[in-house]
Amino acid sequence: MTDLSSPSAPDTITIEALDSTGTIQRRARGFLALFFVAIGLYTLKGFLPALLWGCVFAISIWPLYRRAELRFGRSDWLPMIFTLAVALIFLVPVSLVGVKVADEARSALEWIDDVRNNGIPMPEWVPRLPFMATQATNWWQNHMTSPQRLSHLLHSVDVGHGMQMTRQVGTQLARRGTLFAFSLLTLFFLLKDGDSVIRKCLLGSQRLFGEQGESLAKQMISSVHGTLAGLVLVGLGEGAIMGIVYMATGAPQPLLFAMVTAVAAMIPFLAWPTVGLVALLLLAKSSMIGAIVVAAIGSVVIFIADHFIRPALIGGSTKMPFLWVLLGILGGAETWGLLGLFLGPAIMSALHLLWTIWTETNPRKGIYAKDTEF
């Protein structure tokens, strides 16, 4: 008897072989894609900060840009105008600070020359100290008012080391300027082709991660917007308020210290040293009342901003506990520098969303527990 089922065996083997070949090809394409992604990132590693900053700028101003585009229409001039505006936002304060620093450097050289000849006069508040006034007065008269001792101290400074540091600063400024230029170039093209970029990113995330990929992207974008409002705008507000206080109390270089305070206030708890430095400078000028006013108002402003305004702005936009936000800001700043102020909260918001999805999903039905709040 002949086995009639035997002819179907080759067809089964062929189908299995085709399935095996297709699986191998898919895996090979995946490994090839990962290889080119890795080698591309390695090639662009020097410009990755510039590209990331360009993305952060684009995400931050995209809602405003869309309103302008709907009002004035789409053109190549609109992204150019927004890019120029972002450049001026950064270059104008940096230029002002550079001019002030140059003036202060010239004043510092004149002060050093005067100290070499006359010493440092004792402030009026030293003899009026509530304790150890006699010891402090004697120490100041013996060490700070003597031109010979101060001249010897100033001559001991390593000039060659100072020149080397100056060259290093110049090199870093040139590199930062180049990266900033590429950030602006990235911003221009992202604004110009923003709709196409968004559509392709959503399509790619849909294919890779499904519907949850879009939710993850929206969460990270909300984190960037919240960080912009909670760190940058709040920091600028703190700097503006403290600048008014500095001018009212007669602090030295109030505009310069207001800018420094605004930049420092963008990182939680970092505005305290700046306010304390201004208070000490006022105290050195024998303005004890001004120092107390700066310290008191600065403490109130920083406390309200760090404990009430920032948590509401950042945590409210991402529905994320402020502890996660704070860890993302500080950890990101430590790891990535200033760029980490935006990357850190974005990464933590993504982790928070993944944790929420994982803990609120019914593994049997694959649905979210709507009545559960995290």
Side-chain angles (χ1 to χ4, degrees):
M1 296 284 298
T2 304
D3 189 2
L4 298 177
S5 62
S6 58
S8 62
D11 296 337
T12 304
I13 295 175
T14 302
I15 294 174
E16 292 178 353
L18 290 175
D19 291 341
S20 177
T21 303
T23 302
I24 293 175
Q25 288 178 349
R26 286 193 297 270
R27 292 178 179 178
R29 286 195 298 268
F31 284 119
L32 185 63
L34 288 176
F35 169 76
F36 279 110
V37 169
I39 198 172
L41 292 176
Y42 180 77
T43 303
L44 298 175
K45 64 178 181 179
F47 293 93
L48 284 179
L51 297 177
L52 291 174
W53 271 119
C55 293
V56 169
F57 293 156
I59 293 172
S60 301
I61 67 174
W62 181 253
L64 182 61
Y65 177 79
R66 286 293 295 168
R67 294 191 188 97
E69 193 176 51
L70 293 175
R71 180 178 178 84
F72 301 105
R74 182 174 299 179
S75 66
D76 291 340
W77 288 101
L78 195 59
M80 188 177 298
I81 292 172
F82 271 78
T83 304
L84 181 61
V86 171
L88 292 177
I89 289 174
F90 285 90
L91 293 179
V92 170
V94 170
S95 301
L96 292 176
V97 170
V99 172
K100 288 292 184 181
V101 168
D103 292 339
E104 290 299 318
R106 184 169 55 251
S107 300
L109 293 176
E110 295 176 354
W111 178 80
I112 290 174
D113 184 66
D114 181 68
V115 165
R116 285 175 175 173
N117 297 324
N118 304 315
I120 302 178
M122 184 172 57
E124 298 178 358
W125 54 268
V126 174
R128 297 198 298 266
L129 289 174
F131 54 90
M132 299 182 66
T134 304
Q135 293 85 341
T137 302
N138 294 333
W139 180 87
W140 195 286
Q141 291 176 347
N142 294 330
H143 294 84
M144 306 301 290
T145 59
S146 174
Q148 293 80 12
R149 293 189 178 184
L150 288 176
S151 180
H152 177 73
L153 177 62
L154 294 174
H155 279 301
S156 64
V157 177
D158 189 357
V159 180
H161 181 65
M163 294 295 294
Q164 183 179 2
M165 290 183 60
T166 303
R167 287 194 295 267
Q168 292 177 355
V169 170
T171 303
Q172 287 295 322
L173 287 177
R175 174 173 173 76
R176 302 293 179 184
T178 303
L179 292 179
F180 182 67
F182 275 95
S183 299
L184 295 178
L185 188 63
T186 304
L187 171 63
F188 172 78
F189 284 106
L190 286 177
L191 293 178
K192 181 176 178 293
D193 304 320
D195 293 330
S196 176
V197 172
I198 293 174
R199 184 173 61 254
K200 291 183 178 181
C201 288
L202 291 177
L203 180 60
S205 69
Q206 179 75 20
R207 289 180 176 177
L208 285 175
F209 309 109
E211 296 180 357
Q212 295 176 355
E214 183 176 352
S215 300
L216 193 64
K218 290 181 178 179
Q219 179 78 353
M220 297 179 72
I221 291 173
S222 298
S223 174
V224 173
H225 290 159
T227 304
L228 175 69
L231 294 184
V232 179
L233 298 184
V234 172
L236 293 177
E238 290 184 48
I241 294 174
M242 295 310 302
I244 297 174
V245 176
Y246 296 158
M247 288 187 290
T249 55
Q253 298 297 335
L255 180 60
L256 178 61
F257 277 108
M259 292 182 181
V260 174
T261 304
V263 174
M266 294 179 188
I267 303 177
F269 313 117
L270 198 60
W272 293 100
T274 306
V275 174
L277 176 61
V278 176
L280 290 177
L281 291 176
L282 286 171
L283 193 62
K285 290 177 58 179
S286 302
S287 179
M288 185 172 294
I289 296 178
I292 295 174
V293 170
V294 168
I297 296 180
S299 300
V300 173
V301 170
I302 296 172
F303 180 83
I304 294 175
D306 289 345
H307 291 80
F308 297 100
I309 300 179
R310 281 199 171 106
L313 292 177
I314 303 178
S317 63
T318 59
K319 308 300 180 183
M320 188 167 55
F322 185 65
L323 178 61
W324 288 58
V325 177
L326 184 61
L327 292 175
I329 293 171
L330 299 180
E334 182 181 3
T335 305
W336 304 91
L338 288 178
L339 186 60
L341 296 178
F342 297 91
L343 290 183
I347 294 171
M348 295 303 294
S349 67
L351 291 176
H352 179 262
L353 180 60
L354 292 175
W355 169 256
T356 304
I357 292 173
W358 185 52
T359 54
E360 291 187 356
T361 300
N362 189 325
R364 294 183 178 180
K365 297 183 179 181
I367 59 175
Y368 297 108
K370 298 295 185 179
D371 57 343
T372 304
E373 284 196 25
F374 183 69

